[in-house]
Amino acid sequence: MTEKKRFRGRAVKAAGVVLGCALVLGGGGAGWAYWHLNRNIHSVDIDGALGDDRPARADAADPSPAPSASPAPPVEKGVLNLLVLGSDSRSGKENKKLGGGDSGGARSDTAMVLHLNADRSEATVVSIPRDTLVERPSCPTESGGTSAPAYGAMFNSAYALGGPVCAVKTVETLTGVRMDHYLEVDFAGFARLIDALGGVDVTTDEDIDDELSQLHLRAGPHHLDGRTALAFARTRHGVGDGSDLGRIRLQQQLVKALADQVSGSGLLTSPARLYRVADAATGALTTDTGLDSLTKLSDLARSLQDLSGDAVRTVMMPVVPAPSDRNRVVADEPEAEKLWESLR
């Protein structure tokens, strides 16, 4: 078995442990815990804000689709595409202390599209570099108006401008793929989750010395606490060519380390520790209104329980240096379009 297949198997096992957390805490005798954890989850009405001017749902190609007036099918059924973002939207001063930027703004440093096929036998995870220059469409604003469209804008500027709604609309414009659901992980909450798990172990193959992320590591093995793990996920300077592509590589390494930690932590044998981890995890989440409860998240997790690790494909959107700015990238066509077509 290859290392990639072993990693995918660990990731699926980790997902099973997380599912167990939701089911244990959502069961009888834990009413207060369920209420508290459910209350932790923030949500945004993406569908209500964007209306009908969006790509068709993947299931629209089904020979017998549900009537248009019918509600969306349960999250555990059908083809799904989810936009997963990492952001500092709720971190404020805490984010700044953790090595983030100015506490007055909100940014998304991590973006992935998770594609699940109808019977959950296959999944594809596509990373989108934050430095990608894109067409940013007109987006609803908090004041009730709309923003002007922009061309050649940084991908992550959409989130800074209009939050989750504009991020989703920009991804749909870029890919032509309907985002059925939205999951956002707050960076400060992510750091608390790492601490609740007892940290993670990584091995670096080069020195990392980045003042901006406050990360200073010698090549070799390291045990990272929440603050350092977050810096590891966000650093880019001094790694590879200093671009976002190097950061994505480190993020993939951290996901592997986190999967190892979760799957080997024995959480289900320690209710107190399980609660601390679940509290940190739910406190870090913002979802669309279709996933804004432990019950809905558990439904989604249940639908993944038979997904084989070997059937999970991880890729990055094909990109090339931008002609207008060699420090930025643009989608490499037609390869990028072929990738998105496979997810529609």
Side-chain angles (χ1 to χ4, degrees):
M1 180 181 290
T2 67
E3 177 59 27
K4 181 177 288 187
K5 288 182 178 179
R6 281 193 294 268
F7 161 56
R8 290 170 177 169
R10 284 190 294 262
V12 171
K13 184 178 179 182
V17 173
V18 174
L19 168 60
C21 292
L23 295 179
V24 168
L25 292 167
W32 182 89
Y34 182 89
W35 174 85
H36 174 75
L37 297 175
N38 215 46
R39 191 166 173 263
N40 272 350
I41 303 169
H42 290 59
S43 65
V44 178
D45 186 1
I46 303 289
D47 289 342
L50 293 183
D52 297 327
D53 185 20
R54 304 175 64 185
R57 294 185 184 276
D59 279 342
D62 189 283
S64 55
S68 58
S70 299
V75 293
E76 71 271 13
K77 295 182 180 179
V79 175
L80 287 179
N81 291 294
L82 297 86
L83 177 61
V84 182
L85 291 186
S87 81
D88 56 19
S89 64
R90 302 206 309 264
S91 306
K93 293 180 180 179
E94 185 177 1
N95 168 69
K96 194 171 184 179
K97 291 178 181 178
L98 288 166
D102 191 318
S103 60
R107 301 171 299 168
S108 59
D109 282 350
T110 304
M112 296 178 289
V113 173
L114 170 60
H115 172 80
L116 303 171
N117 72 344
D119 63 5
R120 301 299 187 267
S121 62
E122 296 178 352
T124 301
V125 181
V126 185
S127 295
I128 303 175
R130 56 165 281 181
D131 290 345
T132 306
L133 299 182
V134 300
E135 174 190 347
R136 190 183 67 218
S138 175
C139 295
T141 62
E142 291 185 359
S143 63
T146 57
S147 65
Y151 301 90
M154 282 268 287
F155 170 74
N156 70 336
S157 71
Y159 184 92
L161 175 70
V165 172
C166 196
V168 168
K169 190 168 184 179
T170 299
V171 170
E172 291 184 343
T173 300
L174 171 67
T175 66
V177 178
R178 172 74 169 246
M179 296 296 110
D180 300 293
H181 290 295
Y182 174 82
L183 279 171
E184 178 184 324
V185 180
D186 174 65
F187 286 139
F190 175 77
R192 290 192 293 271
L193 174 61
I194 296 293
D195 284 334
L197 286 167
V200 294
D201 296 313
V202 300
T203 299
T204 60
D205 54 13
E206 60 181 310
D207 294 345
I208 301 176
D209 191 14
D210 186 352
E211 288 294 336
L212 291 179
S213 66
Q214 301 176 18
L215 183 66
H216 307 281
L217 296 175
R218 295 292 184 188
H222 299 276
H223 183 76
L224 308 183
D225 62 9
R227 178 188 179 114
T228 312
L230 179 58
F232 189 85
R234 303 183 74 173
T235 194
R236 61 184 292 178
H237 301 282
V239 179
D241 60 2
S243 74
D244 196 44
L245 308 187
R247 177 178 14 221
I248 288 174
R249 177 173 59 83
L250 292 182
Q251 289 171 351
Q252 291 172 342
Q253 183 180 356
L254 185 60
V255 167
K256 174 184 179 298
L258 182 58
D260 285 339
Q261 179 65 17
V262 170
S263 63
S265 61
L267 283 178
L268 297 181
T269 64
S270 174
R273 187 158 174 251
L274 172 61
Y275 178 80
R276 288 195 299 271
V277 170
D279 191 29
T282 54
L285 283 180
T286 297
T287 73
D288 69 286
T289 50
L291 286 177
D292 60 355
S293 71
L294 283 178
T295 299
K296 294 174 182 177
L297 290 170
S298 294
D299 285 345
L300 177 61
R302 279 194 193 94
S303 76
L304 302 177
Q305 61 188 355
D306 294 326
L307 179 66
S308 165
D310 293 344
V312 179
R313 180 172 61 131
T314 55
V315 298
M316 186 177 70
M317 182 182 78
V319 294
V320 293
S324 60
D325 185 345
R326 306 301 287 182
N327 293 318
R328 303 287 181 254
V329 296
V330 293
D332 183 12
E333 301 295 0
E335 283 73 15
E337 172 58 24
K338 291 177 181 177
L339 173 61
W340 300 126
E341 177 64 30
S342 71
L343 307 187
R344 294 176 190 144

